[in-house]
Amino acid sequence: MKTRRAVTALVLAGGQGTRIKALYPDLPKPLIPAAEAPFLEWVTRWLAGQGIGHLVYSTGYRADQIHQWAADLSTKTTLRLDCRAEQAPLGTGGAVRHCLDLCQETVLVVNGDSLTLTDLDRAFSRLRNETLDGVLVGIPVQDTSRYGALDVNEQGLLQGFREKQPGSGMINCGIYLFRRSLLETIPLGQSLSLETEVIPQALSKGAQIAVVHAARATGEATFLDIGTPQTVHQASAFIARTPDAFPTLPAPLH
């Protein structure tokens, strides 16, 4: 299994999951079971398969459960797993800043309640361009009306986020690769959104963020967000269809 050094995956796992709370009222959304394991374990296994050896879970709602889950998993793997709880909701941007001192020089931000099965080689290769401050992974869809679309110029650089509107286009699938120096400009302790505040403000100040297409060597990139009862029920089948995306976690030697 490949290893990407000086990279931390920061997994946003603090949301309440209001729309699906009735299904699992005593669990934080990332720990909802799918294919006989917590959904967050599948996120972790996918990241490990992409060469990530250090993960930080940003937690909020029922943080103690995720921290205990991570502590138990740490005894079974050589992955470095850290957790940090926010005391009040900080939004995606504020949560990233809250955990930044735990992170290495390159920060991969992903959601703990969604999976985009894509290879990250293209994103990491693009970031080798030293003029770039970050890379965002997008996925093409036939109808962007549910999500909103990415505004990308001919050079493949992000110009902004468009409002939700009908028609095909590229949407943000919630995978960001940043140089830590860009994230250090986020004010500490403020509730901020990556998509609506942090990234637009960075672009307005001249930051350059490239957009790459989600793609897999073994087939098309696929996307699942467990934000509704319908998608929660789809999660097990989604995971079962692509077992190659979820390698066994590296285990410690005994």
Side-chain angles (χ1 to χ4, degrees):
M1 189 180 294
K2 60 190 172 187
T3 301
R4 301 187 193 276
R5 304 190 184 281
V7 178
T8 296
L10 204 169
V11 184
L12 300 174
Q16 291 193 37
T18 306
R19 290 178 294 173
I20 60 174
K21 195 172 181 180
L23 293 177
Y24 295 95
D26 299 322
L27 285 177
K29 183 163 61 164
L31 293 188
I32 286 175
E36 301 182 353
F39 190 82
L40 194 55
E41 182 168 328
W42 299 109
V43 175
T44 299
R45 287 174 62 171
W46 172 72
L47 287 166
Q50 297 298 312
I52 307 300
H54 179 214
L55 290 80
V56 174
Y57 303 101
S58 171
T59 61
Y61 178 70
R62 295 189 181 270
D64 57 323
Q65 293 188 34
I66 296 178
H67 292 208
Q68 186 59 58
W69 167 83
D72 292 343
L73 188 60
S74 291
T75 67
K76 305 171 187 175
T77 180
T78 57
L79 297 178
R80 178 183 164 195
L81 307 178
D82 294 319
C83 296
R84 177 165 289 168
E86 55 189 25
Q87 301 307 308
L90 290 171
T92 52
V96 167
R97 184 64 181 88
H98 183 58
C99 296
L100 198 57
D101 62 304
L102 299 175
C103 298
Q104 301 184 74
E105 292 307 308
T106 302
V107 184
L108 173 68
V109 180
V110 302
N111 293 309
D113 58 3
S114 67
L115 274 167
T116 301
L117 300 185
T118 179
D119 297 324
L120 295 179
D121 291 345
R122 187 181 301 181
F124 279 98
S125 295
R126 194 81 165 86
L127 196 63
R128 292 194 188 109
N129 181 339
E130 294 184 359
T131 66
L132 291 178
D133 300 286
V135 178
L136 183 155
V137 180
I139 191 166
V141 298
Q142 293 300 312
D143 184 8
T144 65
S145 59
R146 179 183 168 191
Y147 307 98
L150 301 174
D151 184 5
V152 184
N153 69 13
E154 293 180 355
Q155 289 74 44
L157 298 177
L158 181 67
Q159 303 299 289
F161 300 93
R162 294 176 180 167
E163 294 297 322
K164 297 177 181 180
Q165 57 189 13
S168 62
M170 183 82 66
I171 65 168
N172 176 16
C173 58
I175 300 176
Y176 308 92
L177 190 61
F178 292 116
R179 299 193 194 280
R180 181 175 155 161
S181 55
L182 175 67
L183 301 175
E184 287 171 342
T185 65
I186 302 173
L188 190 61
Q190 293 188 23
S191 178
L192 296 165
S193 162
L194 277 175
E195 186 170 310
T196 63
E197 294 171 292
V198 172
I199 292 177
Q201 289 172 16
L203 293 176
S204 71
K205 295 177 181 178
Q208 295 202 65
I209 298 173
V211 176
V212 299
H213 289 215
R216 297 185 70 211
T218 55
E220 287 190 19
T222 51
F223 172 78
L224 178 76
D225 178 342
I226 57 167
T228 68
Q230 179 184 8
T231 54
V232 168
H233 294 312
Q234 294 170 351
S236 291
F238 177 87
I239 290 163
R241 282 196 298 269
T242 50
D244 61 297
F246 307 104
T248 302
L249 295 179
L253 297 175
H254 294 292

